[in-house]
Amino acid sequence: MEQIKEVHRSHRRLHVEDKLSGRAAYGADLRRSDLMYAKGVSPGCAAGRIEEIDVSACLAVPGVAAVYTARDLPGHNGFGLFTDDEPILARDEVKFAGDVAALVVAESRQAAEEGGRRIRFSIAPVKPLLSVEEALASPRRIHPGYAGNICADKRVVKGNAAAALERADVVVEETYHTSWVEHAYLEPEVMSVLPMEGGRLEIRGAMQHPFYMRQVVCEALALPESQVVVHPDVLGGSFGGKVEISGAMAARAALAALRLGRPVLYVLSREESVAQSHKRHGIRFHVRLGASREGTLEALEVRALMDAGAYVNESPIVSWKTVTCGPGPYVLPHVSYRNTAVLTNNMVCGAMRGFGTPQAIFAMESAMNELAQRLGMSPTELRRKNFLHEGDATATSHVLRDHAVSIAGVMERAARALGFDEKFARYSRIQEGPLRRGVGVACSIRGVSFGADSEDTGRARIVPQADGTVEFMCPMMEMGQGAETVLSQICADALGLPLERVRRLQPETDRSPDTGAAGASRGTFIGGNAILQAAAALKGQIAACLGAEPVDFSQGQVLVGDRKLSWEELYRELCARGKTPDAAAAYTVPLMPWDEEHCQGDAFISYTYSCHAAEVEVDTQTGQVRVLRMTACHDAGRIVNPQMAAGQVYGGMAMGLGMALMEEVEADPRSGVIRTDNYDTYLLPTALDACPFCVEFLEHPDASSPFGAKSLGEPAMEPAPAAILGAVNHALGSAGAVRRMPADLETVFFAAHPEWRGEKE
């Protein structure tokens, strides 16, 4: 009888019917007769000392029950997954326009809103530092512990890039800019807190990391962890944005629920969400890329400046990912890549799909295109000449020996699907009329899991049931990426069971083991490996109890020595011996050789290789760009669920289209207040902007990964913006026509008509 195999099959997403039918319960769907409503209130200025918060008029509003400020917090007033320097409630000063300094709690949303409008803040204003240059030059420190307002300074140093660039035959030296980007999830942030018997609190809502929610609440309210339980609701999108801010909201709402003894619902409006949430970092890259006349890369030097915003948050992690993955999948004998994160009084920047790499890929791939043009080569010809292969060393000197280094094959498939080489030659000839076409290609190397700068551990628990089914816990949050389905498929194959006999319990802190946040391209890899470890632990438990080895799972049965037991029989026999089958285990990424000062060594345990290609049409009379077609190929090891994986890439390409052509958070240059605070001013791609997408996978199962499956969530998006910008520049006739994202109407128009740029300025 053929072995049951659930991995590598296109199963329908679990519980999709609930979302399609509207039965799924999201955080804002909470309805209770005793519910109270919370609203966070910001002073609305980017920098200043808080001298007084007058809440008297607020408390006079009918229905307003209480107003809380930082002085009401009994514990630690700070949040942030890696650096907890952002206040839950601003106490003595505000550092950006989204700081929340007071929480109004009322019997109705309307009363909370009206109460919030009546709070009066007395602020001694301070001139905000609203650019990286201002912040670096100013003697004022936004945070006392960071000299020069520098909160991270990461660098890769390999060989001697400066000397190699002096010797290089051809050097491209240019500057590339990217801007702030909003996560733009459909569901705004929402948290609710419900008092329980015995003084316990239940936290619900939209979140990526339930255990982090518990940590923030317990530290802020000086509570033991046993007094707080977290039950996440269905999550309506995140992309990295619902980690930290959800923790702050949970702590504020928990303070109110604890004081009032009533359940509290806290939902942000879209404008509040945009003002308060963290953004994708805007980064400026100054790139020097040198090569021989034959096109062999010799050296890369990058100096990047990153606006971190008002709090450190995850900027050190983002900076690290930028320098380790930014040089791309190329052989580079000499590298000097430095990314400096600078604190300003702008919006806080943090985790967003890619952790700084979409920006870095845009800079590197744009420089590669400009170099190819200088050398008289096509973009694919230059890349073919310089790709990494097995046995080569990355920019961090990681010698690639333990997995298939497949970027060359990945690019060939993506380029072939678009007809890239033929179209590049055709569109490079003089095009008549205002409509011009172009093609672009971009490649990436993405490290699997957190990487050498952070310990990464995942945990799982498997509990067989009396009816022959198996429940398991691995609390990687389902954000729409398909984690629930993919982890269930891995668990089913680990136990030799069909998918319908495996049930994943929803993440909650009372029963689930802490396995970290869903993010950083770690869900399938870390969660899947933890499940395999738990399955191995279950085998050991069975062997120890029944006194027989080996133990194996196959075809819905448990093989114990020379016996074959059904799962029902196994459960009964273990119970008869006084044992309850229940196995938990952890998987930790092995320590790798790493020199943090120079970022040299094995940066990641393995890598995902990706390439996107795009074809566009540019109207030179209006600056409008129409994406005609996009193709992609990824080697993410064995693909657990091909249909859902393709969906990930479709979404990644659509997100990349927005970042490339229209998405930009704009702030007032004098006040730092965000202007694009809703989707009528913050432009997003719609179905009318989408184009035909073609997705292929080049599968090389990875030895370190569960059933060979590596990461895909972030690689699915990373190369897309660079591919589109490359195509726009090709259509405009110069690889360096546009060196900033987004390439909006005005930017493209003036790139097509540089003779009119002076009138604009």
Side-chain angles (χ1 to χ4, degrees), residues 629-641:
R629 181 175 172 80
M630 290 188 73
T631 62
C633 183
H634 297 265
D635 183 357
R638 178 176 281 114
I639 301 301
V640 176
N641 189 311

Side-chain angles (χ1 to χ4, degrees), residues 192-214:
S192 59
V193 181
L194 291 73
M196 302 165 65
E197 290 184 8
R200 300 185 79 208
L201 296 175
E202 179 184 1
I203 313 291
R204 305 196 70 97
M207 64 191 77
Q208 274 185 245
H209 192 343
F211 289 86
Y212 175 69
M213 298 299 103
R214 184 178 67 180

Side-chain angles (χ1 to χ4, degrees), residues 18 36 184 355 473 555 560 607 656 669 679 706 718 734 750:
D18 291 339
M36 304 199 79
F355 277 82
M473 286 155 273
Q555 288 301 308
V560 184
Y607 299 88
Y679 298 157
E718 290 171 323
S734 170
F750 282 107

Side-chain angles (χ1 to χ4, degrees), residues 515-531:
T515 199
S521 294
R522 64 190 292 273
T524 300
F525 179 81
I526 291 291
N529 272 325
I531 289 168

Side-chain angles (χ1 to χ4, degrees), residues 234-251:
V234 175
L235 185 57
S238 180
F239 308 112
K242 291 177 181 172
V243 180
E244 287 95 352
I245 187 174
S246 298
M249 291 175 62

Side-chain angles (χ1 to χ4, degrees), residues 465-470 501 567-568 571:
Q465 303 297 302
D467 62 357
T469 62
V470 174
R501 287 177 59 187
W567 283 85
E568 295 93 329
Y571 186 91

